[in-house]
Amino acid sequence: MPVIYNKPIIEAMTKPITILAIESSCDETAVAVLTFQADQTMILSDLVSSQVKTHAKYGGVIPEVAARMHIKQIIPIVDTAMTEAAVNSDLIDAIAVTGGPGLIPSLLVGVETAKSLSFVWQKPLIKVNHIEGHVFSSLINEKLSRLPELFPALCLVVSGGHTDLILVKNFGDYERVGGTRDDAVGEAYDKVAKMMALGYPGGPIISKLASEVNLSQFELPRPMIDSKDFDMSFSGIKTSVLYTLKKYSAVTDQMKREISFEFEQAVSDVLVSKTLKAAKQFRVKTILLGGGVAANKTLREKLQSHAAALLPDVSVKIPEIKYTGDNAVMIGFPAYFHFLAKNFAEIKGFRPDPNWELT
Ligand code: KG4
Ligand code: ZN
């Protein structure tokens, strides 16, 4: 439901609104309390309990294990988030929760908790799409009344499960204009790290190795970089890494650094080129970056410098590192706009959707 800044919405924006937000779509149990007041977003508490060390032993997220850990963590984290924020249930205006996409056992824990709190406290419930959270994660510090001036915007969402170019016409009005046809970019990072036995999650490890060199003897392809559409492909780059590794009986640490460097260059070249091409085509005012891979230094720098050179009138918004990976602040933030539009979910019949498409 698009949110149009009309008179009732602007009047509603003058009242302080406090939202408790819950995110449990994958392997982070996250809870935050946000207050929207005086044209700003105030983060009263922001907790993330990561299960990454547990899943690292298996080389990836095990859904059943993730759900069990969420069940153990969620109530204590809600409790701590409320205490840290110094609020009680009377001060909460709504409860927001990720309704998908994600792993169904994980999503269920957050959704059932949010439904119970909504029922017991008699507060409205807001269902937020996880990708919508990543889309707006770079705008959390902006003045709320100025946000519509940034639209139309184009968001590059890069995470473990998604690589999408989303045209943001307004809050609630989105169109996927491009993105990967195969692997998500985070998934490609994780798989390449696995091929080189570097550990999980692969993104930060590859990124660190890549930063230790500034040249590579290896050359990887930039698939689809010149195609006319805004589609991308990352499985080919990943396969090229595999073939490169197969040529050698022993892969040294220096070779791993150089492969990481070239992989990062190849991936960011494709992402930045497609993003700029789409930004130009759709004449956007703003480029947004979001998702776990948005923590990648090379991608952040390349997107900013290339946009400044090629599209100087377009502003680029990059999220703070703490809002790149999964967190609950990014769920509470768009929830405010659903609150203003009275876009509430019914407790009865609200089931998380593991494949919920934003557009
Ligand atoms: O958004 P996110 O936390 O979870 C999903 O919704 O998928 O993204 C996780 C992904 C993982 O694939 C991880 O390897 C990648 O983000 N990642 C990075 C970096 N930090 C995390 N990839 C590249 N460079 C990084 N610095
Ligand atoms: Zn995510």
Side-chain angles (χ1 to χ4, degrees), residues 207-218:
S207 184
K208 184 175 176 296
L209 288 184
S211 72
E212 292 166 3
V213 293
N214 45 28
L215 259 185
S216 177
Q217 60 178 302
F218 303 101

Side-chain angles (χ1 to χ4, degrees), residues 130 134 159-161 186-187 189-190 201-204 207 291-293 295-296 324-326:
H130 182 82
H134 282 308
S159 74
E187 186 184 352
Y189 262 100
D190 295 339
S207 184
V293 185
N296 187 270
T324 55
D326 293 345

